[in-house]
Every structure is written in C-alpha cells, then in structure tokens.
Amino acid sequence: GAPVVPSTSMWRGARARPAAAERSATSDSKELTKFMIPDNRFPGAGVVGFVRALSLFVLLMGLGCIFCPLILVSMPFVIKRDPQRRTFVDFLMRQWAKLLIFPFFSVKIEGLENLPPPGEACIYVANHQSFMDILSALHLPRSFKFISKDSIFKIPFVGWAMKRADHVSLKRDDRKSQVEVFRKSIKKLQDGTSLFIFPEGTRSQDGVMLDFKAKGAFGMARRAKTAILPMTILGTGRLMSAKDFLLYFGGPGVRIILHKAISAEEVQAADDDALVEQVRDTIAAGLPEGYQGKPRA
C-alpha cells in the first residue's frame, strides 16, 4: 500500500464517486458513448492535438527534473526501510503523474470501496486503449508495479524512475524474459506488492476490447494466492489513440471503474478458462456496448 493514502476529497485530478459492484457492471451504455473515439474530429484538431502532446512531453521532462532528484535522494532510505515494495518511490511517481495530466484532462474513479486494504497485494487487470492508461492508473491511491514492455523503460526520466521503483520489464518475444518475469512477479506478490497488467498485450486501435493474449496474470494469482481486481478504463483512447501520439481534447476526460475483486479463494477454485472469461466479461461490462468485443474461441 502507499505510505500516504489521501482521502478522495483531497484530490483535484481524481474525484471518487460511490459505486456498488452492480452499478459498475451495468453502467448505462448510452451514457458511456461519450467516452468513445469520435469518427470525425473538428477541423484543426490534429494541430491542436500535436501542440497538446508536445506540451505534455515538455511538462513530463520538466517535472522529471524535479521528481527524479527527489527519488534519487530518497533511495538510500527506501533501500534500507522498504527494499521490496518501495512504496515511497511509488508515491512520488503518483504525484508526478497527477501534476502532469492536471492541465490536460481529469480522472474520475468509481468503486474505491473495492480496493484492497493498503499493504494487501492483488493483481489489477484492465483494458488497454492508450498510453494515457498508464498515467490514469497512477491516480489509484495504492502502490503497485506495472508489468510493462521493455521499451517503456527507455523513455527519458520515466524509465529511470520505473527502474528505481522496481517495476517489471518484459521482453515480449523473449521466452527467457517471460519465465523470469513470471518468477519475479510471484515473488513480488508473495512479498505484499501489487501488480498491474494489461492482458490484451497491446493497445486497441479502435477502442474495441481485444482477446486476452497475456494470461500470465491468472497463473500468477493462483501461484501467489492473491486476489484479482478487474478494472475498466474509459476515455483514454478518445484522448490519445493507439494510431498516433496526438493528445486531443477528451470531452469527459477519463473514468476508471474498479469492479469487485475476485478473492484469492475464488481464484483458486475457478477453472482457468472460466476465470479468464469472468475477468474479461467484468471489464467489458463497464465499456460502451460497441467496445465490449467478443473473444475468439
């Protein structure tokens, strides 16, 4: 868990709204269409999107000049007091993400009551539409580690900070890397560190949810005897699609729906295919009907 868990009323970027599991799973589909990627954007949207994306990158680097030294100074203390979870570094990275997106869009979170207690490990599983998913997920008031492709670790400042926080780097086409990541991830879960995984394996080009290719999260949960928390992320593809890196105006911003967790006991008892289907259906239920997709048999 995070060393500091602020109340939701303290946040400007992530305002929480009560959400029962049933409300999360049956959100009004018509109301959710405002989070879909528009077929046509207003004239000049590309130019504006380029300027906003460039501004975001400049701000990312500028904030990196502040937060990376803070992380560096804190590392001796972190290594001594919290070498496994490194929650203070996670806390600094969350503040970095919140300040970064504050001028560009808001993040609202539903279902905070479904989060595990601070310090209790789980696996967060979400749909993936955009690079903005990562920045949005960092609004959760919990510490976790992304399992992320190795190219993300090459981004200036960001990659360095992720290494200091001990996020998990994966080389997708390297079998040895996959085995090592699986082993390391189970150890992290057993040590009380939560993980965050996008099981589609890549960003959806059109917002429609893809098949789950990366199913390792479910095996990790079984081996480590931890819960799985399905999460639906809305609106990030509208802001920045997987087709380009332009940052458009996103209308309603981003909404994150935290569904009821599947307990460690339920994970152990469920059939593999049934568990994957349950998690996918839960995430899809929070998406507009046109984005829910259907997994191939």
Side-chain angles (χ1 to χ4, degrees):
V4 177
V5 183
S7 66
T8 54
S9 62
M10 294 169 60
W11 301 351
R12 168 60 178 84
R15 301 190 302 276
R17 299 188 298 178
E22 293 80 4
R23 162 69 175 86
S24 297
T26 58
S27 296
D28 181 59
S29 184
K30 184 177 180 180
E31 191 262 344
L32 294 178
T33 57
K34 65 184 181 182
F35 293 101
M36 298 178 72
I37 302 170
D39 294 330
N40 298 293
R41 299 186 186 270
F42 63 85
V47 175
V48 174
F50 174 79
V51 172
R52 280 167 54 86
L54 181 61
S55 300
L56 180 78
F57 180 76
V58 171
L59 184 57
L60 172 66
M61 296 297 105
L63 290 172
C65 292
I66 298 172
F67 280 95
C68 285
L70 288 175
I71 292 171
L72 181 62
V73 170
S74 73
M75 285 309 296
F77 169 80
V78 170
I79 294 298
K80 183 178 180 179
R81 300 292 298 272
D82 188 20
Q84 300 300 325
R85 296 169 61 199
R86 306 187 184 188
T87 53
F88 184 69
V89 181
D90 291 337
F91 171 74
L92 289 175
M93 292 188 70
R94 291 201 300 276
Q95 308 319 305
W96 185 357
K98 291 176 186 179
L99 287 173
L100 175 60
I101 71 166
F102 177 82
F104 302 100
F105 61 92
S106 64
V107 177
K108 298 178 182 179
I109 302 177
E110 291 187 10
L112 281 171
E113 68 274 9
N114 292 322
L115 284 172
E120 181 178 310
C122 76
I123 299 180
Y124 299 97
V125 179
N127 59 303
H128 197 16
Q129 296 183 22
S130 169
F131 181 70
M132 294 298 103
D133 292 331
I134 298 171
L135 297 176
S136 299
L138 286 170
H139 281 66
L140 296 179
R142 291 293 186 273
S143 179
F144 58 81
K145 311 300 179 185
F146 285 110
I147 297 181
S148 179
K149 59 183 180 181
D150 59 338
S151 60
I152 298 295
F153 288 78
K154 298 175 183 178
I155 300 175
F157 291 128
V158 174
W160 181 89
M162 290 182 71
K163 289 177 183 177
R164 302 291 85 73
D166 203 25
H167 290 266
V168 183
S169 174
L170 171 66
K171 296 179 181 178
R172 287 180 177 175
D173 300 323
D174 186 329
R175 177 61 180 169
K176 183 178 179 181
S177 173
Q178 294 171 359
V179 172
E180 177 61 20
V181 164
F182 190 83
R183 183 197 64 78
K184 184 177 181 180
S185 298
I186 292 173
K187 179 67 165 56
K188 282 187 173 296
L189 290 167
Q190 291 172 338
D191 289 340
T193 301
S194 294
L195 299 175
F196 195 112
I197 298 175
F198 296 109
E200 291 165 278
T202 189
R203 291 167 296 158
S204 170
Q205 294 283 318
D206 55 8
V208 178
M209 196 171 180
L210 305 173
D211 293 344
F212 281 6
K213 296 179 181 178
K215 299 181 181 179
F218 306 96
M220 293 172 193
R222 284 189 190 281
R223 292 282 295 275
K225 296 181 172 60
T226 55
I228 296 175
L229 198 157
M231 178 189 312
T232 304
I233 303 177
L234 295 154
T236 51
R238 183 184 180 97
L239 286 159
M240 180 181 285
S241 74
K243 297 178 181 179
D244 56 47
F245 284 95
L246 303 180
L247 182 59
Y248 299 101
F249 283 107
V254 173
R255 180 186 297 176
I256 295 176
I257 302 174
L258 301 173
H259 302 281
K260 184 178 179 181
I262 301 170
S263 70
E265 293 74 21
E266 291 173 309
V267 169
Q268 295 295 317
D271 171 81
D272 287 350
D273 291 339
L275 180 61
V276 172
E277 183 178 2
Q278 179 183 356
V279 172
R280 191 190 186 285
D281 288 349
T282 300
I283 296 172
L287 292 168
E289 187 174 353
Y291 279 5
Q292 293 178 4
K294 297 294 180 184
R296 291 191 296 270

